[in-house]
Amino acid sequence: MRRDVLDLREFYAQPLGGVVRDAIGRKLAEAWGPASGLDVLGLGYATPFLDRFPAARRTVAAMPAAQGVESWPAQGRNRAALVDEAALPFANALFDRVLIVHGLEETDEPAALLGEVGRVMAPSGRMIVAAAARGGLWSRAERTPFGAGRPFTRRQLEELVREADLEPVAWNQALYVPPFRLFTGWAEGFEQVGSKVWPGVAGVILLEVVKRTFAVKPKRARARLVAPIPGVLAPAPTPVPAGMTRRKRLDRGPHQA
């Protein structure tokens, strides 16, 4: 069962939610920059991070029906939609970048979700999945969105995306700060030191993937035989058994051998 959109919005309005927004947002900006001239899709509850792509040509927030939807952005024309995660209402190869946050851990059909994402990604598109890390403290913090659903290891995420014909190309981690409000003032220090000192306690895995491409070998043209080899490929008449004329053989019933 998915977290309600109101609970997610309330979490990101708190100081601890601000820490999450900053920590993951920095990693996204490092990976994709401002996404200049690109079409970006956020799936799950990705709206706290979509403002990291101010130069995108178009940005859309797709929120699963079981979660609920909210109007986004706060100012201007709404660009959020309520969707069926197993049948996204978008054309094939539409988005250059896809970001999944709070989308994979609670879905009942991860393969269908990733298959749909692969369908709407452009051939040169990229996707980043931000998912709760199984070994981190955040996956045990049930008061946060990362404590809901099932967490993943890096290998589990890689196997899952490969089953959807997507190929991992890079990965990173974030949220080394403990999931308690007491530590929010030292969050930036935890993020800077954590990757070197405590790599196993990161709260979130960020896996970047691309579409798989397959090389298609051209079929070989069948060579036409110019001159048959005598005695091998040349047709030969069927011998007639002794005591039977050819006329009698041809007059046998259609079901007889």
Side-chain angles (χ1 to χ4, degrees), residues 197-254:
V197 181
W198 308 296
V201 302
V204 172
I205 299 171
L206 296 104
L207 185 69
E208 184 174 23
V209 304
V210 298
K211 278 189 176 182
R212 279 183 176 177
T213 55
F214 300 92
V216 180
K217 296 182 178 179
K219 294 182 179 179
R220 294 181 178 179
R222 294 183 179 180
R224 183 174 297 177
L225 185 64
V226 178
I229 302 174
V232 178
L233 297 178
T238 304
V240 180
M244 182 182 293
T245 65
R246 181 171 294 278
R247 180 177 179 82
K248 288 183 179 179
R249 185 171 181 270
L250 295 176
D251 287 344
R252 299 175 71 180

Side-chain angles (χ1 to χ4, degrees), residues 25-154:
R26 280 194 295 268
K27 301 296 184 181
L28 297 175
E30 291 172 4
W32 291 347
S36 301
L38 302 179
D39 294 326
V40 180
L41 171 66
L43 182 58
Y45 191 75
T47 51
F49 311 98
L50 294 180
D51 59 357
R52 292 285 177 166
F53 313 114
R57 181 175 63 175
R58 173 172 49 193
T59 308
V60 178
M63 303 188 186
Q67 168 191 293
V69 67
E70 65 180 3
S71 180
W72 179 86
Q75 304 293 331
R77 185 177 180 180
N78 177 59
R79 286 178 281 155
L82 191 69
V83 302
D84 179 352
E85 61 196 60
L88 298 177
F90 306 116
N92 295 348
L94 182 60
F95 294 99
D96 304 295
R97 299 289 185 268
V98 179
L99 173 63
I100 301 180
V101 184
H102 306 308
L104 203 57
E105 298 96 326
E106 298 178 64
T107 182
D108 295 327
E109 300 178 285
L113 184 150
L114 291 173
E116 276 295 279
V117 170
R119 179 183 65 81
V120 302
M121 281 174 59
S124 59
R126 290 177 175 265
M127 173 181 71
I128 289 181
V129 180
R134 182 174 295 277
L137 296 175
W138 287 79
S139 64
R140 300 173 176 84
E142 296 183 357
R143 293 186 179 182
T144 76
F146 299 98
R150 58 186 178 282
F152 295 92
T153 65
R154 175 189 168 189

